[in-house]
Amino acid sequence: SFEGGALTFKGRITQNPVDVEISEAPAGNAWNLIGNPYPSYLDFEKFFEENEGEFSNGNVAIYGYTGVSNTWTVVNKASPQSPIAPGQGFFVNAKQGGGIIRFTPEMRITGNTDDFIAGRPSKNIALSKLKLSDSQKSDVTSIYFIDGTTRGLDRGYDAGTFTGVARDFLIYTNLVEDHSGTNIAIQSLPYDDFNEVTVPLGIKAKAGAELSISIDSLSTIPSTINVYLEDKQENTMVLLNKGSYTFTSTVELNTAERFNIHYSSKPLSIDNLPSNDNIRIYVADAPKSIMILGQLKSATTASVYDLHGRMVLSKALNANSTENAIDVSTINTGVYIVKLSNDHQAKTQKVIIK
């Protein structure tokens, strides 16, 4: 490791376009370490516009090491963007089959910022940054509210967590809709969603440590918006605007099933939550199934419809299980509507079967 000081590089400085091949890798580990090949700053927006088609759907971002063990700055269209520093290295996640990252002289600009230091975006945008801490370390996840984005996957605005190295301490979210199993580091939602939306919050941590969940000081959502943490295991709701939530888990955590983050313009309590807040629906690939996660309050039927309103299958779910699966291996690819109903709950959600 290098602890500071001057480094001298010898060689010819290129002023030509530079193409860098990135690989999906045989084992599916698509993380590629690349870097700015020029001795000048790069305009992030121009670089991203040129290359975002080469990234995997769930990781349309660049990932820069912060210098703190196993922590990463994730940058895409949603996050504040600064010029990429001369020679700066970063990770990208390749699309299926690999691709080519292209650096061009036209991307070069002047700059004076440090590596991955956040600037201020000019868009109509609000940020809720949430922090997980123990006595020695911390990690953050970002939820942006931006006009034009959706509750599903928005290429270039949502990005999964960095998985190039094993991590045992992590905070993340799941997509509000069309969740595919990917842990999300940056999630972008419609701008007005901070008035009323529920986001599944994931925690990965070892057993026995005292953990704290709080609002990071970089958050910019309006102060009138209430940010509640729901702990479904303890059946509690905590207003994070007034302080952090501290707890100790007796078991190792690696799930987004225990916590929700509720954004609301009005006061909430555990008793006035919508009855289906704990239910999540997404499509899993292996085996191809529609997964229904969460506690059902009574006997429930799940029905799947195509976009013409025709029912393609129906299944009675096990109300005693928090995880139900519907086999869809024989259903054609396309967009479908899943409807759940029982005496106490009702939920309808669009899914995409690939």
Side-chain angles (χ1 to χ4, degrees):
S1 63
F2 183 69
E3 300 297 335
L7 286 176
T8 300
F9 293 90
K10 294 183 179 180
R12 184 179 297 275
I13 296 174
T14 183
Q15 299 183 27
N16 300 319
V18 177
D19 290 344
V20 179
E21 184 176 353
I22 57 173
S23 170
E24 186 188 17
N29 186 3
W31 294 103
N32 293 254
L33 178 61
I34 62 175
N36 177 2
Y38 302 120
S40 57
Y41 287 84
L42 286 183
D43 184 304
F44 175 85
E45 291 187 358
K46 289 183 179 180
F47 168 81
F48 203 71
E49 181 180 356
E50 174 75 25
N51 293 294
E52 63 177 301
E54 305 302 300
F55 304 150
S56 64
N57 275 341
N59 298 95
V60 185
I62 69 172
Y63 295 74
Y65 183 55
T66 66
V68 179
S69 178
N70 282 339
T71 57
W72 307 87
T73 295
V74 185
V75 186
N76 64 6
K77 292 178 181 177
S79 56
Q81 301 140 17
S82 292
I84 302 173
Q88 173 62 47
F90 51 88
F91 283 94
V92 295
N93 194 280
K95 67 182 180 181
Q96 186 175 4
I100 300 292
I101 298 297
R102 186 168 178 80
F103 298 90
T104 67
E106 291 75 22
M107 298 175 185
R108 296 178 299 175
I109 57 174
T110 60
N112 58 8
T113 59
D114 203 346
D115 303 342
F116 302 111
I117 300 301
R120 286 293 180 186
S122 58
K123 300 175 183 177
N124 187 23
I125 184 172
L127 166 63
S128 175
K129 187 179 283 287
L130 302 169
K131 179 187 290 186
L132 173 69
S133 306
D134 65 11
S135 61
Q136 297 180 323
K137 53 189 175 297
S138 65
D139 190 47
V140 294
T141 191
S142 296
I143 301 168
Y144 287 91
F145 299 91
I146 306 173
D147 281 328
T149 62
T150 72
R151 294 183 174 184
L153 180 65
D154 299 291
R155 278 188 60 90
Y157 288 90
D158 298 310
T161 58
F162 184 74
T163 59
V165 295
R167 303 172 68 183
D168 59 10
F169 191 81
L170 187 65
I171 184 171
Y172 56 90
T173 63
N174 285 169
L175 292 177
V176 174
E177 293 181 358
D178 301 330
H179 172 60
S180 63
T182 299
N183 298 334
I184 301 296
I186 292 178
Q187 179 162 185
S188 296
L189 298 170
Y191 184 73
D192 289 333
D193 261 15
F194 54 58
N195 290 297
E196 186 175 0
V197 72
T198 299
V199 182
L201 183 72
I203 300 293
K204 184 175 184 180
K206 293 181 178 179
E210 185 177 76
L211 304 173
S212 177
I213 301 173
S214 62
I215 298 174
D216 188 83
S217 60
L218 294 178
S219 295
T220 61
I221 61 171
S223 59
T224 55
I225 299 301
N226 299 309
V227 183
Y228 291 94
L229 175 72
E230 178 192 2
D231 187 335
K232 291 182 280 185
Q233 178 175 301
E234 300 297 330
N235 197 36
T236 58
M237 184 88 90
V238 174
L239 182 61
L240 293 181
N241 305 64
K242 293 187 175 181
S244 61
Y245 179 64
T246 301
F247 68 102
T248 301
S249 177
T250 58
V251 299
E252 183 174 336
L253 294 175
N254 189 14
T255 179
E257 297 303 312
R258 176 170 173 174
F259 298 105
N260 281 326
I261 291 290
H262 298 267
Y263 296 92
S264 179
S265 57
K266 59 183 183 295
L268 293 178
S269 71
I270 200 70
D271 297 321
N272 65 11
L273 290 178
S275 62
N276 64 3
D277 265 353
N278 295 342
I279 304 299
R280 291 168 49 225
I281 302 171
Y282 68 93
V283 177
D285 292 331
K288 187 179 292 186
S289 308
I290 294 175
M291 302 299 300
I292 300 166
L293 306 182
Q295 184 60 61
L296 302 171
K297 296 185 177 181
S298 61
T300 303
T301 299
S303 301
V304 181
Y305 298 84
D306 64 20
L307 291 183
H308 298 289
R310 297 174 297 204
M311 182 187 294
V312 295
L313 61 84
S314 181
K315 181 179 179 180
L317 304 180
N318 181 4
N320 295 319
S321 174
T322 59
E323 181 174 315
N324 282 270
I326 303 174
D327 182 8
V328 291
S329 58
T330 60
I331 292 181
N332 292 333
T333 59
V335 179
Y336 294 86
I337 305 298
V338 181
K339 294 185 178 181
L340 305 183
S341 60
N342 59 40
D343 293 338
H344 306 282
Q345 296 162 293
K347 187 177 180 73
T348 301
Q349 185 170 313
K350 178 185 73 174
V351 298
I352 301 174
I353 299 176
K354 300 178 180 180

